Amino acid sequence: MYAPLTDGGAWQPASLRSPVEQAGHAVLRQRKGTITRLSKREIARPGDRFLEVDLRRRLIQMHPQTIPTADGMTVTLTLAFAARTVDPVQFITEAQGPDEEIYLAAQIALRELVMEQTLDSFVGTRLELDSVLTAAQSAATLVGAQVNAAFLKDISLPASYSAALQDAVVAKVNSETDLERARNEVKTTRARLASAKVLEQNPVLAKIRMLEALPPGSTIEIRGDQL
């Protein structure tokens, strides 16, 4: 998981002045137990400690979660959240692991969401993550962070269920193919019957069709009574 703290989250001393603030970062100063965000470089006093906090957007990656559904099956989901630190002082002081608290809140909400649904509800429909996102946002507010979006990276159904779905899809395709083939055969049969009826009613046309069907080089014997 990406950590928004530079230097491994350790407070660093400065010999003369506070560190230069990098783009997308905030510089915090700890002096006599009080943490302050600096807006510009200041003279460092003995005992001052400084910490840089990354304010850029980051991803909180959730490990694959295997959760039972309402009908006793299991589904595995992988999520990610787009987050950023908005209050670096609160982010440092309110929790030992701010992102872990966001993670836990989202994890619990996801389990509650999945356990209320049957396995069929995960097939062919979009999973709404509003409740999970709301839980993550509520936890983020308490630790000086902000969660802007939740992403469903992957969803896996039980292997036996997936195989059954694939068999059903293949069977449906084969059935549609067989039906279309039968329709074409019926059309062909009807066309042949109509053609035979026309030839039966028109002997001359029948003879012409017969001549057209002869292979090249065939010898035709014409008798007087057949002209």
Side-chain angles (χ1 to χ4, degrees), residues 83-106:
R84 68 170 67 244
T85 300
V86 293
D87 187 337
V89 175
Q90 185 182 13
F91 189 81
I92 293 299
T93 58
E94 289 298 327
Q96 184 179 11
D99 281 1
E100 285 78 2
E101 294 198 6
I102 299 172
Y103 185 109
L104 178 61

Side-chain angles (χ1 to χ4, degrees), residues 25-219:
H25 291 69
V27 175
L28 304 184
R29 180 189 63 201
Q30 183 173 192
R31 175 181 291 172
K32 296 181 179 180
T34 300
I35 298 177
T36 306
R37 179 179 180 180
L38 302 182
S39 59
K40 60 181 180 180
R41 296 192 72 185
E42 297 186 5
I43 300 298
R45 298 180 183 178
D48 283 353
R49 294 293 183 270
F50 299 92
L51 179 68
E52 284 189 283
V53 181
D54 196 334
L55 306 180
R56 296 173 298 177
R57 184 176 62 253
R58 63 182 182 276
L59 285 178
I60 300 177
Q61 305 277 1
M62 181 174 284
H63 298 299
Q65 303 291 308
T66 301
I67 306 171
T69 60
D71 50 0
M73 304 297 285
T74 59
V75 60
T76 302
L77 305 98
T78 306
L79 274 65
F81 300 89
R84 68 170 67 244
T85 300
V86 293
D87 187 337
V89 175
Q90 185 182 13
F91 189 81
I92 293 299
T93 58
E94 289 298 327
Q96 184 179 11
D99 281 1
E100 285 78 2
E101 294 198 6
I102 299 172
Y103 185 109
L104 178 61
Q107 185 182 44
I108 293 173
L110 179 62
R111 292 186 66 85
E112 293 176 349
L113 173 65
V114 173
M115 292 175 67
E116 293 175 352
Q117 303 186 53
T118 62
L119 189 61
D120 290 341
S121 62
F122 294 94
V123 180
T125 58
R126 181 178 179 180
L127 181 62
E128 296 295 336
L129 299 173
D130 293 344
S131 61
V132 180
L133 177 60
T134 299
Q137 289 173 333
S138 298
T141 301
L142 299 177
V143 294
Q146 182 181 74
V147 175
N148 299 315
F151 308 100
L152 177 61
K153 296 175 58 179
D154 185 49
I155 180 169
S156 300
L157 303 178
S160 58
Y161 191 85
S162 298
L165 283 178
Q166 292 178 359
D167 291 342
V169 172
V170 172
K172 182 179 179 181
V173 171
N174 291 337
S175 177
E176 293 176 352
T177 302
D178 293 341
L179 180 60
E180 186 63 25
R181 185 183 298 112
R183 288 174 178 172
N184 291 334
E185 290 177 353
V186 170
K187 291 179 181 179
T188 301
T189 302
R190 288 177 178 175
R192 288 176 178 175
L193 290 175
S195 178
K197 185 175 181 180
V198 171
L199 294 177
E200 182 181 0
Q201 295 174 353
N202 297 273
V204 175
L205 180 60
K207 292 181 179 180
I208 293 175
R209 286 287 182 87
M210 181 182 67
L211 292 174
E212 291 176 345
L214 292 174
S218 299
T219 301

